Amino acid sequence: MATLFGSGIKRREDPRLITGKATYTDDVKLPGLLYAGVLRSTYAHARLKTVDVAKAKQAAGVVAVYTGADIAEKVNPVPCAWNVPNCDLKVPPHPLLAVDRVRYVGDGIAMVVAESRAAARDALDLIDVDYEPLDAVVDPERATQPGAPQLHPEVPGNVAFTWKVAGGDVEKAFSEATVKVEQRILHQRLQPTAMEPRAACASYNPGTGQLTAWITSQNPHIHRFLLSVMLKLPEHRIRVIAPEVGGGFGSKIPGYADEALVGFATMDLKRPVKWTEDRSENYKATIHGRDHVEYVELCGTKDGKITGLRTRVYAGLGGYASTAGPGIPTILHGLMCSGPYMIPNISVTVYGVYTTTTPVDAYRGAGRPEATFLLERMINLYAQKIGMDPVEVRKKNLIPKDKFPYTVATGITYDSGDYAGALDKALKLVDYKKFRADQAKAREEGRLLGIGVTTYCEICGLGPSQVAGAVGFGGGLYDSALVRVYPTGVVRAYIGAKPHGQGEETTFAQIVADEFGVPIENVEIVAGDTEATPQGWGTYGSRTTAVCGSAVKIAAQRVKEKTKKIAAHLLEASEADLEWKDGKFVVKGSPDKGKSFGELALMANVAWNLPPGVEPGLEATAFFDPSNFVYPFGTHVCTVEVDAETGEVKILRYIAVDDCGPQINPMIVEGQVHGGVVQGLGEALQEMAVYDEDGQLVTGTLMDYAVPKASQMPKIETAHTVTPSPVNPLGVKGVGETGTIASVPTLVNAVCDALAPLGVTHIDKPLTPARVWTAIRQAKGGGR
Ligand code: MCN
């Protein structure tokens, strides 16, 4: 029987999504439903002198208005759940509604609950807030300098933490090195733009004391826990349902005040309450990503051997520490600063800094795009300085495939890899030598052609729970599956993770259908309801397949072991004499004597004739905790032509060679790579959150925030290599973030390569035509 693992079947979730038959949080309608709206600060930093809600309370249709003072004693602040140790982390309280001070434009001040959405909106305008404006600071480096506005009294200098990791002897490496390069690198702040903004709907049953909350959530079990903390309600009284979620990209991981406020209001009013962001609100009130200022130095020999890397990072956290905020620039960025290279001496210092901006948390790639970008940019600068081809420098420093498991200087151990294999494949696809020859010819004609080659690896498949505990993550990082077989032989797998666009409804069904030899139509994957699914830790960090998929596989195997016992009993054979063939257990040598999975499912469930000691029913649960992270890798190549007159960048070819181990569904993998690359090219070319000096978000609408459009994107050519991971039973690695991680330096290096003859060495991303044009003018000695 042909296996489904490896087959590019169409995503089963798509028909309902693209025909409008899916249920999102905002589609939830309950009898007596009320609508909430949140009044948000229009100042980046201000004292709240008075918040007068009298008029709003009187307005037509208004049922309740809550201020920070009203609820302060009844709820707990929004917790930060990644308390990175050994860095003197300071997490000042983040109240659900501001009490005496606001710290970013969008900080919640009051919540109105009304009979209709319009009434709630109108009433927000009637709230009179008397602000005493304070100075804003939006740049994380400037926020640490003397005289900068201070956000939290308990955090002098706005420095929330100082985190360091070091391996080898970096001082010695730099003092002995013959070649050194340095660069200030900016990872601009980005605004996650999921198609569906955040929403929450909650209903409370005063009889049972049970709260049900529908939330746009990437991790319902984490949200249950966070709600329990914020609402002071026992966890078993809370059911979180994440219906269809229209994309998250990290922004639907954190615990937010708004979701808890909806829970609070429904318990207070004993009527269901719903709140849904609009896009402008989303851009202010939902987390942002990146926001690093880095000072990076790299040293090496004249013949291309890298000997040291040192970076000092100012990582913006926003006005408060978001759920995973402190873990991203440290664990997911600092520890990944060796990339796929053997760099014996590394030192990373990260200052986590509060600024009067929207809180920063995980955004697709979270820390790893920043680490990959700085390495890949520095390697190109180094190659330029020593006059060596940047691909040669990479080849000289890549970790060879026979060195795995390999421990890098930052202390983490990579599982498996064949970095040179992926590089060779990509170079062949682009025909690197020919491109260099074409480029030389084009240069003679005055045309600016460039090529960028990124070799990357990333940490994902998060991860072993023990490590999670050791690095201060406030939860486990195992995952779970309950595989239940019905009497008629159809199967449901209830999973702990919560896919929200990635396609596991299809890929996990492929795993189960293969295990049982049943058609995929007989298998359904259920996710996103804490009442139905076993404890899991969510979909992020490209972990779902490696961790939760492994739990699915193991649970299915357990079910199958039970059916084997029953088959042996019914066939009056010993288990050792049975073999699995074409969806049946058959007696070896007598292929006509067998029991199909369907027959065994029925016998297990009706329990008429079970072997002694075997319980009725057919289901199994597995909790899988991997022994290590997984480290996917690959090489991305981009060729560009730059118009020196306009600064416009035209992408000629984009090639992505990724290795995520054996691919369950190559079509889905390709889709993930495409999506990731497009997101990364958005970061490289045009996306940037812009605050003015007063802390106003200038890019607060889709008119101003430049999300890439399909028409702007190149054809993306994909290829892969297959290097299994030894740390999970499927051998898989993650692929959900590879595109965002690899594409940004690939594009920027290609443009810098194109402009090298003009003397341009570096341009801060995003590479808008204006920036490229200015860099060309400045390199030519002209001004702006
Ligand atoms: N897959 C596969 N074979 C492999 C590895 C993965 O077939 N060897 C498949 C998986 O089974 C799954 C998909 O590829 O269908 C991605 O799986 P995985 O790499 O495990 O990533 P996760 O499911 O954990 O997704 C998280 C990742 C992250 S961190 C972000 S952010 C992101 C992303 O996925 N956000 C997304 N992709 C997204 N895609 C959509 N549509 N929407 C988002 O919000």
Side-chain angles (χ1 to χ4, degrees):
M1 188 182 270
T3 66
L4 285 163
F5 194 118
S7 136
I9 57 171
K10 285 188 183 164
R11 292 184 3 145
R12 313 168 78 204
E13 42 275 74
D14 283 349
R16 72 169 187 273
L17 295 174
I18 59 181
T19 56
K21 294 193 184 87
T23 303
Y24 294 84
T25 298
D26 194 51
D27 295 324
V28 175
K29 294 199 175 62
L30 301 167
L33 186 62
L34 297 170
Y35 297 82
V38 179
L39 181 76
R40 302 194 178 277
S41 174
T42 52
Y43 282 89
H45 196 194
R47 268 198 196 90
L48 292 180
K49 287 162 78 180
T50 52
V51 179
D52 183 353
V53 298
K55 270 189 263 162
K57 276 189 169 166
Q58 300 305 316
V62 169
V63 177
V65 182
Y66 303 103
T67 64
D70 294 338
I71 62 168
E73 297 301 315
K74 298 172 185 158
V75 294
N76 280 318
V78 187
C80 168
W82 200 338
N83 291 296
V84 177
N86 308 320
C87 65
D88 193 21
L89 173 64
K90 297 179 193 77
V91 179
H94 179 187
L96 300 194
L97 291 169
V99 178
D100 52 8
R101 199 151 151 190
V102 285
R103 293 183 173 87
Y104 63 96
V105 170
D107 209 352
I109 294 176
M111 178 183 254
V112 172
V113 184
E115 297 288 350
S116 72
R117 198 166 291 192
R121 277 290 165 85
D122 288 348
L124 290 178
D125 291 340
L126 300 175
I127 299 175
D128 200 4
V129 183
D130 191 4
Y131 295 95
E132 180 191 328
L134 300 167
D135 287 341
V137 60
V138 301
D139 178 280
E141 184 181 12
R142 210 185 85 52
T144 64
Q145 287 163 359
Q150 300 293 298
L151 267 77
H152 300 277
E154 58 274 63
V155 190
N158 298 317
V159 176
F161 62 82
T162 303
W163 180 90
K164 291 178 192 227
V165 67
D169 188 342
V170 108
E171 304 305 323
K172 190 158 167 268
F174 273 89
S175 67
E176 290 175 357
T178 44
V179 187
K180 294 172 204 166
V181 280
E182 55 183 56
Q183 182 62 50
R184 181 175 190 260
I185 286 181
L186 297 177
H187 303 287
Q188 80 271 26
R189 183 182 269 259
L190 300 174
Q191 297 167 204
T193 309
M195 289 246 258
E196 181 201 22
R198 275 187 305 128
C201 180
S203 155
Y204 182 66
N205 181 334
T208 61
Q210 199 73 24
L211 176 76
T212 304
W214 291 261
I215 300 181
T216 44
S217 172
Q218 298 181 217
N219 28 246
H221 296 92
I222 292 183
H223 278 130
R224 181 178 64 185
F225 170 72
L226 294 172
L227 279 181
S228 145
V229 173
M230 288 187 269
L231 296 175
K232 303 184 180 179
L233 193 67
E235 214 180 339
H236 66 287
R237 290 268 157 77
I238 304 174
R239 173 181 185 185
V240 173
I241 300 171
E244 216 73 72
V245 176
F249 308 110
S251 70
K252 291 167 183 168
I253 302 170
Y256 291 92
D258 313 298
E259 285 81 336
L261 286 168
V262 168
F264 174 82
T266 195
M267 288 196 290
D268 191 48
L269 302 170
K270 317 284 183 292
R271 281 178 69 180
V273 178
K274 185 161 76 179
W275 163 85
T276 303
E277 285 179 325
D278 63 21
R279 182 62 63 191
S280 306
E281 190 176 17
N282 169 262
Y283 273 164
K284 290 191 285 253
T286 292
I287 60 101
H288 291 175
R290 319 276 191 263
D291 201 21
H292 288 196
V293 179
E294 302 219 12
Y295 289 87
V296 196
E297 300 161 90
L298 182 142
C299 65
T301 63
K302 280 189 190 139
D303 63 351
K305 198 86 194 132
I306 302 168
T307 53
L309 178 89
R310 182 160 56 195
T311 179
R312 192 173 86 250
V313 188
Y314 297 90
L317 299 175
Y320 301 94
S322 181
T323 307
I328 291 156
T330 52
I331 308 304
L332 294 178
H333 164 262
L335 296 185
M336 279 312 294
C337 277
S338 195
Y341 308 108
M342 292 177 292
I343 306 180
N345 307 293
I346 297 184
S347 136
V348 180
T349 304
V350 184
Y351 303 106
V353 185
Y354 292 118
T355 58
T356 55
T357 57
T358 294
V360 175
D361 207 307
Y363 177 54
R364 199 170 189 175
R368 292 147 287 161
E370 295 91 315
T372 305
F373 186 82
L374 74 86
L375 263 172
E376 294 303 296
R377 220 35 301 274
M378 295 312 287
I379 288 177
N380 268 35
L381 292 173
Y382 170 54
Q384 210 170 356
K385 187 147 185 181
I386 59 175
M388 190 180 265
D389 186 300
V391 168
E392 284 314 304
V393 175
R394 286 177 171 79
K395 280 188 174 168
K396 273 204 147 172
N397 293 281
L398 286 176
I399 301 163
K401 76 172 185 191
D402 58 0
K403 290 261 194 242
F404 291 89
Y406 184 86
T407 302
V408 288
T410 57
I412 51 177
T413 301
Y414 298 170
D415 57 344
S416 61
D418 177 7
Y419 303 153
L423 174 60
D424 287 343
K425 191 158 191 172
L427 294 176
K428 206 164 160 201
L429 285 169
V430 75
D431 199 344
Y432 188 71
K433 275 201 186 122
K434 181 172 178 304
F435 182 84
R436 285 293 186 201
D438 292 348
Q439 180 186 41
K441 222 154 88 206
R443 279 178 179 168
E444 283 167 18
E445 296 161 9
R447 285 171 57 212
L448 299 171
L449 259 54
I451 186 163
V453 178
T454 291
T455 40
Y456 78 93
C457 75
E458 60 137 330
I459 183 169
C460 70
L462 317 179
S465 300
Q466 258 190 356
V467 177
V471 298
F473 184 74
L477 279 174
Y478 59 86
D479 227 288
S480 63
L482 156 59
V483 172
R484 177 171 292 155
V485 185
Y486 291 74
T488 50
V490 292
V491 187
R492 267 186 157 171
Y494 298 81
I495 61 169
K498 168 60 187 163
H500 47 281
Q502 291 84 354
E504 275 92 353
E505 249 180 81
T506 305
T507 53
F508 285 9
Q510 290 177 256
I511 297 172
V512 175
D514 272 353
E515 193 62 38
F516 298 153
V518 297
I520 195 164
E521 292 72 28
N522 289 10
V523 182
E524 197 172 85
I525 306 297
V526 182
D529 183 346
T530 56
E531 213 77 329
T533 58
Q535 175 73 40
W537 293 97
T539 289
Y540 46 81
S542 302
R543 65 186 299 274
T544 308
T545 310
V547 187
C548 189
S550 298
V552 169
K553 171 86 179 165
I554 295 165
Q557 282 172 332
R558 287 181 185 160
V559 164
K560 195 155 151 200
E561 278 161 27
K562 183 167 177 179
T563 60
K564 189 173 187 185
K565 280 194 172 56
I566 299 170
H569 176 70
L570 296 174
L571 293 166
E572 295 173 346
S574 81
E575 279 186 65
D577 288 338
L578 296 188
E579 62 181 345
W580 179 253
K581 226 173 167 186
D582 296 335
K584 277 184 179 177
F585 276 116
V586 293
V587 179
K588 286 178 196 160
S590 328
D592 50 330
K593 231 184 144 201
K595 292 280 173 199
S596 71
F597 183 77
E599 289 171 287
L600 294 166
L602 181 64
M603 293 318 287
N605 277 295
V606 296
W608 293 331
N609 182 12
L610 292 177
V614 170
E615 291 174 3
L618 192 55
E619 63 181 59
T621 301
F623 291 85
F624 178 71
D625 201 347
S627 56
N628 193 2
F629 301 91
V630 290
Y631 293 83
F633 60 90
T635 297
H636 285 209
V637 183
C638 178
T639 58
V640 297
E641 177 158 9
V642 180
D643 184 332
E645 296 303 315
T646 63
E648 198 180 341
V649 175
K650 185 173 171 209
I651 298 174
L652 303 175
R653 284 185 78 186
Y654 194 99
I655 297 163
V657 178
D658 295 287
D659 191 325
C660 60
Q663 299 184 357
I664 303 172
N665 187 319
M667 192 199 284
I668 287 180
V669 167
E670 191 180 20
Q672 285 293 311
V673 172
H674 279 210
V677 168
V678 167
Q679 233 163 326
L681 292 178
E683 172 174 347
L685 286 169
Q686 58 194 52
E687 279 188 53
M688 173 159 76
V690 179
Y691 280 99
D692 70 12
E693 282 195 355
D694 296 327
Q696 293 295 333
L697 183 63
V698 178
T699 47
T701 75
L702 270 171
M703 292 294 285
D704 307 294
Y705 188 73
V707 179
K709 299 179 177 66
S711 60
Q712 297 171 305
M713 289 295 115
K715 174 174 156 46
I716 297 162
E717 301 166 53
T718 56
H720 61 274
T721 56
V722 178
T723 308
S725 170
V727 309
N728 65 66
L730 300 167
V732 296
K733 301 184 176 200
V735 76
E737 295 159 292
T738 55
T740 41
I741 290 166
S743 58
V744 188
T746 310
L747 187 282
V748 174
N749 278 339
V751 174
C752 291
D753 182 56
L755 302 183
L758 306 181
V760 174
T761 52
H762 181 76
I763 313 177
D764 286 328
K765 59 191 167 72
L767 303 187
T768 57
R771 284 186 175 196
V772 173
W773 184 84
T774 305
I776 294 171
R777 294 269 299 178
Q778 282 172 346
K780 284 181 175 166
R784 292 172 64 88

